[in-house]
Amino acid sequence: MSTTAPPSASSSSGLSKYLQDYGWDLLIGSIAAFYAIMVPYTKVEESFNVQAMHDILYHRHHIEKARLTIFISVLLNILNMFFFQGYDHLDFPGVVPRTFMGALIFSVLASPLVLLMHAIHLSKIYSLLAVRMMEGCIELLALRFFRIQQVRRKFGYHVEAFFAILTAIQFHLLFYSTRPLPNILAFGLVNLAYSFWFKGNPYATLRCLTCATIVFRCDTVLLFGPIGIELLLSKSISISEAIKCCISSALLFFTVLLDTVMWQRILWPELEVFWFNSVLNRSSEWGTQSFHWYFTSALPRSLLVAYPLCLAGVLLDRRVMRYIVPVFCFVLLYSKLPHKELRFIIGSIPMFNVSAAITASRLYINKKKDGWRWLYIMLLGSFLVSLGCSVMAFIASYYNYPGAYALKALHQADTTNTTKEKFVHIDAFTAMNGVSRFCENEYPWRYSKEEGIALDEYHDRNFTYLLNEHFHIDGYKCLFAVNGFSKAHLQVGFPPFLLLKEPKVFVHGNMRDRDIDLFNWPGCP
């Protein structure tokens, strides 16, 4: 006689199976989505891809033939090339050109959702959120593939679980995972490369690293080199096979074709970036750090408790040594460049987390043994400390976009229904700290990012509002100020440190415009 399980038991079993398969993904994805929703704005480092996504989504129909030299014009006609009118990069090209490949991919994937948002008249900032969510899904899917297919398979379920926990309590990786930075666009391919490396597929590993280097981030060659040497020393691949593999997987033709169209000149963006950063070393104009900065500042802040744990993991499981050494060499080689930022080495974090998860797993397995119990309790305590540090880092980042908050507050304050144009000037500081074209409203609002205007020249200009880093400007009344993160202050007690804020962006109104007096402005401190 057959028996049937009660519906409640069946549904409970189904939920348990679902959580077992996707529980860690829900945790990691929810945290990344929370960061994106709470801080949808972007910084100057992301400006090119953000503006490119905006222009692809909103200026896709405004096209005309490019007028270039005879040779290039013939080439463009043969290939039916066009460039898009109104694109931000034509007016503000930036220091070095970047590829449109990532912006195009994510914009196309998010376009159905963006069209729906446009149909129901949602503001453009929701379109930015949609594109960022699409990017985050792809980046985290690559990370999931690395975790599920390789970390679990090679080191077991416990290591996989602690890998997910460490990733969840670290702030920077998930915060950056939805941000359209060249480093993050390459990050997904780097995770795929790690997956194939663990699996023992050297050809796929090299293909992923080749694509990441050629298309998105030329500095990935510093990771490509050590991993390639490891594959050669382990006799996983020969030099001739490696060269053939890299050439066959190169997307150079496609990125040159696309970016030649968009930039209106024959261009391989990452070659110019490499020349600017590495050969001319002009990236140092944006600040320099000491050689050890990645090891004494960037990695401790990004890895938190995983930093000491990953060092122990190399000793506890020798299998991870062959993977950690090339990644360590990647960070070491990057340290030679004077200009340093944490995002440059973010591709190393998943591999260091694997080593750290091995240590955490060993402590968990042996937690009932004498001596190990206290180490395990210390591990749990360090998880809480890391979580607290991530919370504080998130709060600091939340207040790190004063330009965007100032423009949003201005839109909310001036709600007059009029056909009279409201002309807003956004200075460089404000634009660098959160403002993008996704933050703009439709007519009658108009915006200018004109550079090089002296303070005494604003009086003669016909701007309705100014978003500026200066408190006083002749001819304009300071309407309100927006605070931004300043610094962290250590103190005795709880919490152990405070996040201090100060006025960063000032919103001014033209004193010749009488409509401004219709509103009750809070004023400036």
Side-chain angles (χ1 to χ4, degrees), residues 190-221:
V190 168
N191 278 314
L192 290 178
Y194 287 159
S195 302
F196 293 123
W197 189 19
F198 272 37
K199 192 177 181 180
N201 188 339
Y203 299 102
T205 302
L206 294 180
R207 289 191 186 99
C208 291
L209 293 175
T210 300
C211 294
T213 302
I214 287 178
V215 179
F216 295 118
R217 188 71 196 186
C218 62
D219 297 341
T220 310
V221 71

Side-chain angles (χ1 to χ4, degrees), residues 63 135 300 313 327 350 412 414 438 456:
I63 59 176
E135 179 190 5
V327 176
Q412 293 174 340
D414 187 343
F438 282 103
D456 56 359

Side-chain angles (χ1 to χ4, degrees), residues 124 165 288 356 365-366 382 386:
K124 290 197 290 186
I165 293 171
T288 61
I365 293 172
N366 295 284
S382 65
S386 295

Side-chain angles (χ1 to χ4, degrees), residues 492-505:
V492 178
F494 184 83
F497 50 86
L498 295 175
L499 301 178
L500 303 181
K501 296 179 289 182
E502 63 181 14
K504 293 284 188 178
V505 175

Side-chain angles (χ1 to χ4, degrees), residues 92-155:
F92 303 96
V95 179
V96 290
R98 290 292 185 183
T99 181
F100 272 82
M101 188 73 74
L104 179 62
I105 292 172
F106 294 128
S107 297
V108 169
L109 292 175
S111 58
L113 187 57
V114 172
L115 288 174
L116 176 61
M117 292 177 174
H118 183 70
I120 60 178
H121 305 291
L122 291 178
S123 64
K124 290 197 290 186
I125 194 64
Y126 291 99
S127 299
L128 174 59
L129 186 59
V131 177
R132 287 187 54 191
M133 288 292 194
M134 184 61 64
E135 179 190 5
C137 287
I138 293 175
E139 301 295 342
L140 294 182
L141 279 174
L143 187 64
R144 181 184 192 274
F145 182 74
F146 175 52
R147 173 175 57 84
I148 294 290
Q149 298 296 326
Q150 308 311 327
V151 176
R152 177 195 293 179
R153 181 177 298 177
K154 199 172 191 70
F155 298 103

Side-chain angles (χ1 to χ4, degrees), residues 359-373:
T359 303
S361 174
R362 189 68 61 88
L363 292 174
Y364 172 78
I365 293 172
N366 295 284
K367 66 181 183 294
K368 295 184 178 180
K369 298 180 181 179
D370 293 337
W372 289 83
R373 182 183 298 109

